[in-house]
Amino acid sequence: MALLENMRVFVRVVELGSLSAAGRSLRLSPAVVSHRLQSLEEHLNARLLNRTTRQVQFTEAGKVFFEHCLEVLDAAERAESSVAAIGGAPVGSLRVTAPLGFGRHILAPMVPRFRALHPQVEVRLRLSDHLLDLLREATDVAIRMAVLKDSSFMARKVCDLPRVLCAAPAYLERRGVPERAEDLLSHHCLLLRFPGSQQFQWTLQTPHGPMTLPVSGQFDADDGDVLTAWALAGEGIALKPVWEVADHLRSGDLRVVLPHLPPEPVALAVLYPHRNLLPAKIRAFIDFFVDNVRNDLIRRSPDAVL
């Protein structure tokens, strides 16, 4: 097992390009990563990487060994999965990523319930509204509320999430209530912006088909909860999933804008590696998530059709 673990460390160092990045991915200190690489090289009696403080580079032996490591680790994972599928309980570390707001309010409360059913699984939750590189982050399961583009991952759609445009009454009194889609172009729109984000273009459903508008505003952020806070403070119009602002809509702290022209819904989906033999821990988590998330969303937004 020590040899396999050292091989996993070696592979992550190569994939991420540095010892420190591999350590963060594997939750190991750089010193431990360095020690495991040294142990592997001593075992093989060969230098695998030329290491500096900034980068690592293959040696000729390292390049050949890396390809074989991928085959060995894949075979070990498939062997472990086949045994677990026969009768074993899900075990091991499970890396899950999700959008910030969804992760905080929906997914995080589900994790202890999942762990109660599968106590041998350690859940490592990574929350970000950025579109993470799932392979680079060694992700086992990704929850996405977006258009799905990860061709290297399988996707299981859960449902469509309705969304609304909303703003505080104080903002609408000050700036006026939009009546047509084009009116949004002269309003302060609160935008979720990060590399790869498309939310500065809002697509509305109209009687004549989808209409995409290049909206703009004074504020943008890479955290959806910040946009909600700005909307509540009367700073502009936000595009939000219904479940996320349902309580504010019921209380009147936010009002729906252009209710006759709702934004296109966004797909809620689970992404996971494309493998013939899916590890039991991943299969168990996906099944648990799909079975429970719809009820959690409905409880938060009973007026929404999910």
Side-chain angles (χ1 to χ4, degrees):
M1 289 299 292
L3 178 58
L4 278 176
E5 289 305 312
N6 290 345
M7 291 170 69
R8 287 192 178 96
V9 170
F10 169 67
V11 167
R12 290 306 287 160
V13 170
V14 172
E15 289 176 336
L16 299 182
S18 74
L19 275 65
S20 58
R24 288 192 296 271
S25 172
L26 297 169
R27 295 179 178 267
L28 300 174
S29 69
V32 171
V33 172
S34 179
H35 175 72
R36 291 195 173 182
L37 285 177
Q38 183 178 352
S39 297
L40 186 59
E41 289 176 329
E42 290 175 354
H43 173 77
L44 297 169
N45 194 28
R47 188 166 186 82
L48 301 174
L49 298 170
N50 292 319
R51 303 186 281 279
T52 69
T53 56
R54 292 182 176 272
Q55 63 181 355
V56 295
Q57 291 182 331
F58 278 129
T59 63
E60 185 177 351
K63 185 174 182 180
V64 173
F65 186 66
F66 176 74
E67 298 300 327
H68 288 294
C69 278
L70 294 177
E71 295 176 2
V72 169
L73 293 174
D74 184 64
E77 186 172 278
R78 285 188 284 110
E80 184 180 27
S81 298
S82 64
V83 172
I86 292 173
V91 298
S93 179
L94 182 71
R95 295 177 178 85
V96 182
T97 184
L100 278 167
F102 187 90
R104 289 168 178 160
H105 303 297
I106 301 295
L107 185 58
M110 294 174 61
V111 170
R113 286 148 45 196
F114 173 77
R115 279 269 298 154
L117 294 174
H118 305 289
Q120 295 184 49
V121 178
E122 299 176 357
V123 179
R124 311 296 185 193
L125 191 57
R126 172 83 181 276
L127 304 182
S128 175
D129 279 332
H130 293 242
L131 296 179
L132 302 179
D133 185 328
L134 303 183
L135 289 176
R136 189 174 179 84
E137 297 291 334
T139 301
D140 294 308
V141 178
I143 311 301
R144 284 278 171 86
M145 296 189 299
V147 177
L148 306 176
K149 296 181 180 179
D150 293 83
S151 59
S152 57
F153 275 62
M154 297 294 290
R156 180 174 173 182
K157 183 176 176 179
V158 181
C159 61
D160 284 324
L161 298 177
R163 298 187 293 174
V164 293
L165 298 176
C166 56
Y171 173 84
L172 297 175
E173 291 172 6
R174 185 172 73 253
R175 299 279 305 187
V177 178
E179 297 180 356
R180 303 177 305 146
E182 295 84 351
D183 293 344
L184 293 174
L185 300 177
S186 61
H187 276 267
H188 298 315
C189 297
L190 305 171
L191 306 177
L192 186 66
R193 192 185 294 272
F194 51 82
S197 170
Q198 296 296 316
Q199 291 209 27
F200 54 89
Q201 295 182 323
W202 289 355
T203 300
L204 308 184
Q205 301 176 85
T206 78
H208 307 292
M211 174 184 290
T212 299
L213 298 165
V215 295
S216 61
Q218 296 175 319
F219 303 127
D220 62 61
D222 61 358
D223 183 337
D225 284 351
V226 171
L227 302 186
T228 302
W230 281 339
L232 289 167
E235 298 296 343
I237 300 172
L239 169 62
K240 304 295 293 184
V242 171
W243 68 265
E244 200 169 338
V245 292
D247 288 343
H248 301 307
L249 295 174
R250 281 191 287 265
S251 68
D253 292 331
L254 292 176
R255 286 173 49 190
V256 175
V257 174
L258 297 175
H260 59 295
L261 300 173
E264 286 190 326
V266 65
L268 175 65
V270 186
L271 275 61
Y272 55 93
H274 185 190
R275 296 172 180 153
N276 293 328
L277 286 171
L278 199 64
K281 62 184 180 182
I282 297 179
R283 185 169 52 254
F285 184 85
I286 292 173
D287 289 342
F288 175 86
F289 177 80
V290 173
D291 289 344
N292 287 271
V293 70
R294 286 174 61 88
N295 289 334
D296 284 8
L297 290 169
I298 290 171
R299 280 196 295 270
R300 285 185 170 271
S301 50
D303 299 328
V305 178
L306 300 178

